[in-house]
Each structure stands twice: as C-alpha cells, then as structure tokens.
Amino acid sequence: MIVANFINGAPSLTAGETSPLVDPTTGEEFGRAVVSRAAEVDAAVRAAAAAFPAWAGTTPGERQLALLDLAALLEASAEAVADAEVRETGKIRSVVLGDELPQCADQLRFFAGAARALGTGAAGEYLPGHTSYQRREPVGVIAQITPWNYPLMMAVWKIAPALAAGNTVVLKPAETTPSSAVLLAALAAEVLPAGVVNVVLGDRGTGRLLVEHPVPAMVSLTGSTRAGAEVARAAAATVKRTHLELGGNAPVLVFDDVDVTATAASVVDAACYNAGQDCTAATRVLAHSAVHDELLAALTAAASARVPGTDFGPLNSQAQLDRVLGLLSRSRATVHCGGKRHGSAGFFLEPTVLSGLDQSDELVQAEPFAPVITVQPFDSDDEAITLANGVPQGLAASIWTRDTRRVASLTARLDFGVVWVNTHGPVAAEMPHGGFGASGYGKDLSMHSLEDYTRVKHVMIAH
C-alpha cells in the first residue's frame, strides 16, 4: 500500500522516495507514503494558483453549498475515514466515530454559514466629497501544515475557513499520519473544482519547500513551538503571512472548595484523552495546599484505573515514546503511578502522576504531550497565578472552584488564550481557539479564524 499525493483533483504518485507508515499499536510497518520534493510541491502550488481566480470569484453562497456538501460526504464516508485515522494513530475507534468525526462535520457546516457573514465597516463619507468602503478578500494560495495528533480534525480546522473565505490550499499532513487528509481531499474533489484542495505528503524537508515556495501568500501551521519558529523564519524571506497555533502546557488550578474525587476524575480524563497528545491536555495540576494531598491521591487512583489500549491509544511513534521516557528518566520527581512503557508491542505509556517538582523542572516547563500529570501545591491565588503563568506557552488553562468572584478575577489574570471553568477541553466551532506567547498567534475556529484568511482593502471613490 502506497499513499499518494492529491494534486489538481486526482491522486499523484511520484517515482521518488517513500517513507514507512507504522501502526502505533503494534510498532509494525503496514504501508508507505510518498515523500514529495520540489517538483511535487511546485505542481501542487501551481494547481492551487491556477484554481484560485475562479474559486475566489464564487459567491459566499456557492462556497457555502460546497462546504455543506463536503460535510455530508464526510459523514457518509465516516467508516472509511475512521479506518485510516485509527490505523495511523492508534486512536480508540469509538472516539473517532463518536466524537472527532461529528466535530469535523460540524466545523465544516459552521464555516459554510460563516462564509456568508463576513462583515466590513459601513460605507460612508469619511472625507468630504468621497465615499469609502471596505472589501474583505481571500488572501490567495494558502500553505497549510498539520500535526499527527489529530490528523483529520486539524485538516478540517485548516481548510474549512480558508475555503470559506475563497482561498485555495496546499496542505501537508504529518508524515506519520497522511491518509485521512488525502481522503478528505478526495472527498473535496467531488464538490470543489480541481486544484482548490491539494495535499502533498512528506517530511520536514517537504514542509520547508512548501513554506519557501514563492507563490503561497500565507502559511498556517499547527505544531510545536520549535516548528512554528522555523516556519516564521522561513516565511519571513518572502514576507508571507503566518498563522501559528503551537504547543501548550495547560495549568489546572484546583481550589479547596471542589469535590475532589469528581474533579480528579475529570482532570485525568482531560489528561489521558488521545493519550495526552493534545496541546490543551490537562498537564500541570496546581492544587491548593488544603486539598493537595487528597487531590494527589485521587488523581493517582483515577490514573491507575485507566488502561492503555482500552481507554486511550498509544503515543504516535517510537520517537515520541522515547522523548517522553527521556523526560521521565531525567526527572527527580516522585512517581505515584505509571512512568513506564505499557507492554512490549506498540508505543503505549502508562498514565503517570508525579509530585515534588520545582517550577524550573523540565517536566513543568516542557509540554510532555503524553498521559503525564504533574502536581504542584500553592497557598494563595497570587501564587497560583504565578505558577500557572510561569511557562513560555499560553494556550489553555482551567480553574476548578465554586467561588464566582475568584473565577472573575483569575480568568482575567491567566495569560492563556482559552480558559475553562470546572471543565477542561471542550471546543465549540463558534469560539476562537489559539494562544499567546510561545503558543503562537492567530485563531482557529470561529469568525476570527475566517477573518485571518482574508485581507482588507479600502476603496475610496471621489464624487
């Protein structure tokens, strides 16, 4: 089995090199994917550029109908898309079918409607003898790069607002998880003109070629902070716009007025979902000293009850497993449960809870991207905020308390783009998703995302 590029409305094999596709539940190779180089990247970009004028000229209503049709096709193809997603990620199939795929269809439908709701300032005579108005226009060809933790969902988060705004795209999925993006492009080709959605497969070198290509006007990346910095540097050479949704390291502030057992169960769910491979995973628990010991015990019990392979899947690759095991081996923290590989096949990690960490410790400052929870105590609201904000990333956080005055105060003081209260992890298509600091800039989801894929033009007419 070889997974091919999808360029100008059709699969496109290359005679060049391929890379292995590995089932992370077994560690065994099951297929290959093409590795695109300059010729393939150029072909995809040229196809997107050729398709842009006509697609940009469609009405918002026409784009809406196309995205609604794509959402329906995705739902009709759910089983095949889930097969591809599960095979390359090891995700629990029921989660893909019951949670992720419905969210993807919903987000396509949201942006279908949003395409018809882009607003501009009112036309008027802001200078005597002249009438001014604003136009929101598509940017052009968009280069998009997605990660391996949510291959299908991140592809939808990228292409839906870009297409709704009238852009064309060339998307490069992660080299270990390419298939669902290719399937999405094939479905898109049934309702969109050829060249509007293109997918090129490959490694970091492929991504660099795409970012450095002179034609794309914008680069949108979801990935690590390191990857975001590399993309920003490469895009600067041709003054491309960048839209960067990068890593997170979410604090979970738990106060002394909560139901400790119920809170611990919810936090562990948010830490182990998708094996913790989520930039908003409930990674850093900050516990009020009055409930610290009780919460630590409850977190340990809840995490110990989670079974890798049954409750959540494996880490994505041997490299990711080795990275996390390295973080754990270098830590001097107290391990209350887990901390080891689970089984001998695949890339499973035991749910892990640790305490006794300093704010400067690597496990606090670095995003584990695994089912790993660190627990630190605090004595006051001010100390909780200092610990929470004391990392470079600023994507997401949560507060667990019954005190509404505390909620009002702390949500304003937390330096994160998403703050949940008494929950952790849900997203809504209508609300923006994106962070501050080392977590990047630009918003996914919501009207903010749609606006990010547009440019604003002022038109002035002399009377």
Side-chain angles (χ1 to χ4, degrees), residues 267-291:
V267 170
V268 169
D269 284 344
C272 291
Y273 188 86
N274 202 37
Q277 298 171 124
D278 189 317
C279 50
T280 65
T283 298
R284 296 187 295 129
V285 173
L286 307 176
H288 192 282
S289 55
V291 293

Side-chain angles (χ1 to χ4, degrees), residues 153-247:
M153 189 177 295
M154 293 300 98
V156 169
W157 283 25
K158 295 297 182 196
I159 73 165
L163 297 182
N167 302 283
T168 57
V169 303
V170 179
L171 183 141
K172 192 202 85 66
E175 61 188 295
T176 58
T177 56
S179 294
S180 58
V182 172
L183 287 174
L184 181 65
L187 294 175
E190 296 186 33
V191 295
L192 299 170
V196 172
V197 175
N198 307 273
V199 175
V200 291
L201 311 183
D203 52 19
R204 290 181 183 174
T206 309
R208 189 173 299 110
L209 288 168
L210 181 58
V211 173
E212 293 176 350
H213 196 286
V215 169
M218 175 177 169
V219 180
S220 178
L221 166 80
T222 296
S224 67
T225 299
R226 174 200 54 75
E230 290 180 2
V231 164
R233 284 193 293 268
T238 47
V239 200
K240 289 181 173 67
R241 293 171 63 167
T242 53
H243 180 280
L244 306 176
E245 200 279 283
L246 309 179

Side-chain angles (χ1 to χ4, degrees), residues 8-279:
N8 204 29
S12 177
L13 279 169
T14 171
E17 63 181 298
T18 61
S19 62
L21 295 175
V22 175
D23 183 342
T25 65
T26 65
E28 297 177 355
E29 181 178 329
F30 66 86
R32 311 282 296 184
V34 304
V35 177
S36 303
R37 292 305 180 218
E40 292 79 28
V41 170
D42 186 66
V45 170
R46 300 296 173 186
F52 174 69
W55 181 247
T58 57
T59 66
E62 289 170 324
R63 297 197 291 273
Q64 177 191 42
L65 291 176
L67 288 173
L68 291 174
D69 287 344
L70 179 55
L73 283 174
L74 181 62
E75 288 178 329
S77 306
E79 295 291 339
V81 174
D83 285 343
E85 193 83 346
V86 170
R87 185 174 59 240
E88 293 176 355
T89 65
K91 294 174 185 279
I92 305 302
R93 184 181 180 83
S94 59
V95 173
V96 174
L97 285 170
D99 187 8
E100 295 184 17
L101 271 162
Q103 285 192 51
C104 289
D106 178 68
Q107 288 148 8
L108 285 166
R109 292 188 172 109
F110 169 79
F111 283 109
R116 303 184 72 163
L118 265 175
T120 59
E125 289 64 54
Y126 302 99
L127 191 67
H130 299 76
T131 295
S132 290
Y133 63 92
Q134 299 175 38
R135 291 175 52 87
R136 275 205 177 269
E137 301 176 342
V139 176
V141 175
I142 312 295
Q144 301 183 321
I145 301 174
T146 53
W148 43 255
N149 57 334
Y150 292 103
L152 177 66
M153 189 177 295
M154 293 300 98
V156 169
W157 283 25
K158 295 297 182 196
I159 73 165
L163 297 182
N167 302 283
T168 57
V169 303
V170 179
L171 183 141
K172 192 202 85 66
E175 61 188 295
T176 58
T177 56
S179 294
S180 58
V182 172
L183 287 174
L184 181 65
L187 294 175
E190 296 186 33
V191 295
L192 299 170
V196 172
V197 175
N198 307 273
V199 175
V200 291
L201 311 183
D203 52 19
R204 290 181 183 174
T206 309
R208 189 173 299 110
L209 288 168
L210 181 58
V211 173
E212 293 176 350
H213 196 286
V215 169
M218 175 177 169
V219 180
S220 178
L221 166 80
T222 296
S224 67
T225 299
R226 174 200 54 75
E230 290 180 2
V231 164
R233 284 193 293 268
T238 47
V239 200
K240 289 181 173 67
R241 293 171 63 167
T242 53
H243 180 280
L244 306 176
E245 200 279 283
L246 309 179
N249 195 357
V252 179
L253 286 65
V254 181
F255 289 87
D256 57 355
D257 58 348
V258 301
D259 181 322
V260 170
T261 301
T263 298
S266 295
V267 170
V268 169
D269 284 344
C272 291
Y273 188 86
N274 202 37
Q277 298 171 124
D278 189 317
C279 50

Side-chain angles (χ1 to χ4, degrees), residues 271-361:
C272 291
Y273 188 86
N274 202 37
Q277 298 171 124
D278 189 317
C279 50
T280 65
T283 298
R284 296 187 295 129
V285 173
L286 307 176
H288 192 282
S289 55
V291 293
H292 174 273
D293 292 351
E294 183 184 0
L295 181 65
L296 178 59
L299 289 168
T300 301
S304 299
R306 302 300 195 277
V307 180
T310 299
D311 296 318
F312 59 88
L315 301 185
N316 179 254
S317 64
Q318 184 67 56
Q320 175 64 2
L321 177 61
D322 290 344
R323 174 188 168 276
V324 177
L325 291 174
L327 283 171
L328 294 172
S329 69
R330 292 190 295 273
S331 173
R332 294 172 294 178
T334 300
V335 179
H336 296 271
C337 67
K340 303 185 298 297
R341 181 175 187 167
H342 176 81
S344 58
F347 311 128
F348 295 95
L349 183 77
E350 296 176 348
T352 301
V353 177
L354 309 103
S355 68
L357 299 103
D358 294 326
Q359 185 70 9
S360 61
D361 286 355

Side-chain angles (χ1 to χ4, degrees), residues 397-404 407-408 411 419-424:
S398 64
I399 302 169
W400 299 75
T401 182
R402 296 172 179 165
D403 187 335
T404 56
V407 168
T411 52
V419 180
W420 292 289
V421 178
N422 296 326
T423 187
H424 192 111

